[in-house]
Amino acid sequence: MPQTFDIVVIGAGPGGYATALRAAELGLSVALVERDATLGGTCLNRGCIPSKALLTAAHAMHTARWAPVTGLQVQVTGFDFGALRDYRMRAVDAMVKGLAGLVAHRGITVFRGQASLAGARQVTVTPSPGCEAVLRYIKAGVAEPVGDWMRLDAANVVLATGSRPRPLPGEPFRGALIDSTQALEQDTFPDSAIIIGSGAIALEFASLWSQTGCEVTLLIRKDRVLSGWDRRTGMTLTRELKRAGVNVVTRSHVTAVDTGMNLGATVHYTREGEEGERQAYAQLVLAAVGRDPVTDFDWLAAAGVALDDRSFVVTDPRGRTSVPDVWAVGDITAGHALAHRAFEQGIVVAESIAGLDPRPVDETTVPQIVFSLPEAASVGLTMDQAKAREDLVGVGETVYPMMGNARMMMSDAAGSLSVVTGADADDPDTQRVLGVHMVAPDASDLIVEAQQLVGNRVPLAQAARLIHPHPTFAEAMGEALLKADGRPLHTR
């Protein structure tokens, strides 16, 4: 006997569970189908939460090493890896259990199993690998076997199947060549590591491992990390990584990775403008060159759900796919592969299904963050992107000298902050904040204000009138806005 719901969500990562939570809040009946034993997807279980738990330890190590400069005598003897593992697992467990409790409280029915579209409004659920039956959860943590298959009928189906780590071309993950999930599961930190990539995952592991005394080599293809970001931000963070002891090899191209019976791996690579091939050896090699959408299902193709040339599900601005009543959110849609973007997508889809008229997600207002040491954050347009827009005029960039900020001077970090401004072509006299890009110890929190200014299209003159407390890292934003508005206070 099939069960009927207003919405069936396939995948319980950030996009999936956000859709479910908001839909239930709006009074819709919701089923959430998840293949894994716990809710939360990659973010809670294998990504955001465990990695930030480890980075918290790295920050503590960094602070302890800087403490003698302030007169505090601290002796650091190393890590208790068992305690660190327990700390990481407690953080994940607390978040996962909290989510399960919230889902149950909202009246959402959870099924553990493998889902497939049997029709535009029908989902078949079969047991997950290692399970003999499909499991149903109405109460958090209380499993009820419901047979070796289950049919769910739905007025709407939401796809939220997430993404997986992308391997190097022709080099599958194996042995010492690992992905980010395997890197998080290491019980000890490596003595030496080669990291291939220049995005958030690569840079966070470079910061983490270098703080523990690991000899880190970072192989990047461009002249700076975060090459798709604002140039000043990427150059600043590249410099700071080098200052922290990371060996950054620019303009490199990996040709092969040797992994044998012994521990470790050898990476073969070339460098632009140089003759011959080079080699580097390390205990671990982390390939962090991006993630691919998990859309390679036969049932997805059979259902007629359109994909683009990169295997992302094609949607309209509110998440509708090519199949009526089938929606998609999260990493399987083109755009920033970030949990907070997926949260908002889920809210938009749920509200659209409920008959509301939500504003679609604007990719230019999605903050990007790297939890490195120091952190990097960005929102909105870069200078080059703004200049390329025909609907913008009077585009300019204001650079604030971060070392002029009192709190920055007190920290063991350098940084950068730039504000991009411009006016709409049909309102050339009103300058607005179009983008903010920064490197600073607390950039992940500082970018929140910038997102509000960019997302709400606040006129620069109004933004510059906002009062920032002194002395704080956030004061740098206020000073930069004043400078952009032609009224610098503590800067020239």
Side-chain angles (χ1 to χ4, degrees), residues 13-15 43 48 52 163 200-201 204 229 291 329-346 361 363 365-371 378-379:
C43 181
C48 314
K52 301 321 170 276
S163 61
I201 293 173
E204 289 174 7
W229 289 35
R291 297 179 66 87
V329 297
D331 289 3
I332 61 172
T333 63
H336 298 306
L338 299 166
H340 43 277
R341 171 192 181 246
F343 292 151
E344 184 60 19
Q345 284 182 302
V361 174
E363 291 292 329
T365 67
V366 177
Q368 300 182 77
I369 300 171
V370 180
F371 291 88
S378 174
V379 68

Side-chain angles (χ1 to χ4, degrees), residues 453-489:
L453 299 177
V454 173
N456 290 314
R457 298 184 55 74
V458 176
L460 174 60
Q462 292 182 21
R465 286 288 176 185
L466 299 173
I467 298 173
H468 294 74
H470 171 79
T472 62
F473 286 114
E475 188 180 17
M477 176 66 75
E479 293 280 353
L481 292 170
L482 282 169
K483 185 178 179 182
D485 197 36
R487 302 184 289 117
L489 184 60

Side-chain angles (χ1 to χ4, degrees), residues 44-82:
L44 265 65
N45 294 279
R46 303 174 294 279
C48 314
I49 300 305
S51 66
K52 301 321 170 276
L54 293 178
L55 282 163
T56 298
H59 276 275
M61 173 74 83
H62 176 79
T63 301
R65 286 175 174 160
W66 173 246
V69 175
T70 69
L72 180 63
Q73 298 301 315
V74 177
Q75 183 178 9
V76 179
T77 59
F79 282 102
D80 180 335
F81 289 104

Side-chain angles (χ1 to χ4, degrees), residues 1 27 33 35 55 64 94 96 113 149 181 193 203 216-217 255 271 284-285 323 329 347 389 393 410 420 445 489:
M1 190 72 180
V33 185
R35 180 177 182 270
L55 282 163
V96 167
W149 74 282
T181 300
L203 304 187
V216 178
T217 296
T255 57
R271 290 196 70 192
L284 286 178
V285 175
V323 177
V329 297
I347 293 171
R389 291 266 295 263
V393 296
M410 298 173 194
V420 179
D445 289 321
L489 184 60

